[in-house]
Each structure stands twice: as C-alpha cells, then as structure tokens.
Amino acid sequence: MKITALLMLKCMPEGADPIILANACDVSHFGFFQRSSVREFIVFVSRTVAKRTPPGQRQSVQHEEYKVHSYNRNGLCAIGFMDDHYPVRSAFSLLNQVIDEYQKNFGESWRTAQADSTEPWPYLDNALTKYQDPAEADKLLKIQRELDETKIILHQTIDSVLARGEKLDSLVEKSSDLSAASQMFYSQAKKTNQCCSIL
C-alpha cells in the first residue's frame, strides 16, 4: 500500500482549470528519469479529476494499478494518488483530515488564490509519510487490526493450551495407571496380610 501524492486544489466555478494550493509527492519508487514526467502527470490528472468532481462529492478514478481519490468540499478539493491496495475508506478519511487541517491553518484564504502555490506545506509532506499505513488514517481499520491481532494471540493461546492439554492427558493416563497399580498393590498386600494374621 502506497500513497504517491496528496494535493489541495481550489476548484473554479466557471470551468477553468483548478488552482493547486499545496502539493506533496513521493516519486522515489519511479526511475530517476521518469520522475519529472510522473510529477507532471500527477498535476495534470489532479486538475482533470478535481475539475470533474462536483462540490460535496467524492469519487475514485482507477488508472492501471493506481487509484485517484477526490473529495470536493465546497470548492476546496483534496486529491490522493494511492495504489490499488490502499483501502478506499482510509483514503477518503485521509482526504477529509487534510481538508480539515488546511481550513484550520489557512481559513478561507484559499478562495482568493489566483495562481498555483509553490510554497511547501509541511503538514502535507508529513501526512504523505505518516499515512502510508492506512490504519493511521482510518481509526476503525486500526481498531479492527488490533482486534485481529488479539484474535490471533487468543488462537495461539488456545493452541498452546491444547498442546499442553495433550501432555495433561498423558499425565492423567499415567495417573490412572498408577491408580490401577496402587489398587493391585493394595489388594495383593491385603491377601498377603490375611494369611499371616492370627485370630
């Protein structure tokens, strides 16, 4: 599971190309000579998808092994490029968090933006790194993963008890044998003692 890019865009109501407000990309898994083309492709696809995402809507677009997730909240649009294995719910949870954080940091100043911003936004770079694990973006997925781990530990514990139980069964059998031998010893000792008793 990999996030390649996160972008914030201002969608223009009159159909013009959206304006990039913030951009964070990790293209290190591409070949060195492909990286600039990949960055350009990310910007192109981001503008295209953001332009076609109506306000208040979410959508996902599949391209080969990648998905582009888009969430337009009243003209402020978050875009995420993830691989096909990244859970959709986690992706949209992440985009929602990114929009919330952007509005918290910049308020409504994005509405007056007229050109693409080239200034880095450290939160977006940190989010790109932190949320590579979908459980960080989606608390329900994190809880589910913890429950699954608990279930695995529980199964391991039951398996170890059963393995120990097999040993306990052999002890019980030995104990039963010992009990039968003790009973035999007791009855033979009783017979032997009968012939020696004087009354």
Side-chain angles (χ1 to χ4, degrees), residues 51-182:
K51 190 177 193 178
R52 289 166 173 76
T53 305
Q57 296 290 314
R58 296 178 173 145
Q59 69 177 352
S60 297
V61 179
Q62 177 106 20
H63 178 69
E64 294 174 5
E65 71 270 9
Y66 291 96
K67 278 189 180 171
V68 180
H69 302 285
S70 172
Y71 176 33
N72 184 339
R73 188 191 293 168
N74 301 319
L76 183 60
C77 189
I79 302 278
F81 283 75
M82 285 90 168
D83 68 5
D84 199 22
H85 303 294
Y86 201 90
V88 174
R89 189 177 75 199
S90 298
F92 284 118
S93 178
L94 169 58
L95 295 180
N96 194 42
Q97 289 176 26
V98 167
I99 290 176
D100 287 344
E101 193 66 27
Y102 189 87
Q103 287 183 320
K104 190 168 82 175
N105 286 329
F106 301 105
E108 297 294 316
S109 65
W110 62 273
R111 293 189 185 276
T112 60
Q114 298 297 318
D116 289 347
S117 173
T118 55
E119 291 183 33
W121 181 32
Y123 173 82
L124 205 58
D125 294 320
N126 294 337
L128 185 65
T129 307
K130 179 180 179 184
Y131 296 117
Q132 292 296 331
D133 178 11
E136 291 294 323
D138 186 358
K139 297 304 178 194
L140 286 176
L141 183 65
K142 187 175 186 175
I143 291 168
Q144 182 63 45
R145 187 178 288 170
E146 288 172 1
L147 287 174
D148 290 343
E149 288 172 5
T150 304
K151 192 165 75 172
I152 290 167
I153 291 169
L154 182 61
H155 286 307
Q156 289 172 346
T157 305
I158 290 171
D159 289 342
S160 66
V161 166
L162 291 177
R164 206 173 94 207
E166 291 171 1
K167 293 176 189 171
L168 289 175
D169 287 343
S170 67
L171 285 176
V172 169
E173 286 176 18
K174 289 178 185 175
S175 173
S176 298
D177 291 341
L178 182 62
S179 176
S182 295

Side-chain angles (χ1 to χ4, degrees), residues 5-81:
L6 292 172
L7 294 94
M8 291 296 303
L9 295 98
K10 172 189 174 184
C11 292
M12 306 298 280
E14 55 275 350
D17 280 344
I19 295 170
I20 295 176
L21 304 170
N23 181 352
C25 292
D26 177 16
V27 292
S28 60
H29 56 284
F30 291 98
F32 180 77
F33 295 108
Q34 296 175 322
R35 292 178 186 171
S36 63
S37 298
V38 170
R39 283 189 193 97
E40 290 172 3
F41 181 75
I42 287 170
V43 168
F44 169 74
V45 171
S46 296
R47 287 189 206 275
T48 305
V49 172
K51 190 177 193 178
R52 289 166 173 76
T53 305
Q57 296 290 314
R58 296 178 173 145
Q59 69 177 352
S60 297
V61 179
Q62 177 106 20
H63 178 69
E64 294 174 5
E65 71 270 9
Y66 291 96
K67 278 189 180 171
V68 180
H69 302 285
S70 172
Y71 176 33
N72 184 339
R73 188 191 293 168
N74 301 319
L76 183 60
C77 189
I79 302 278
F81 283 75

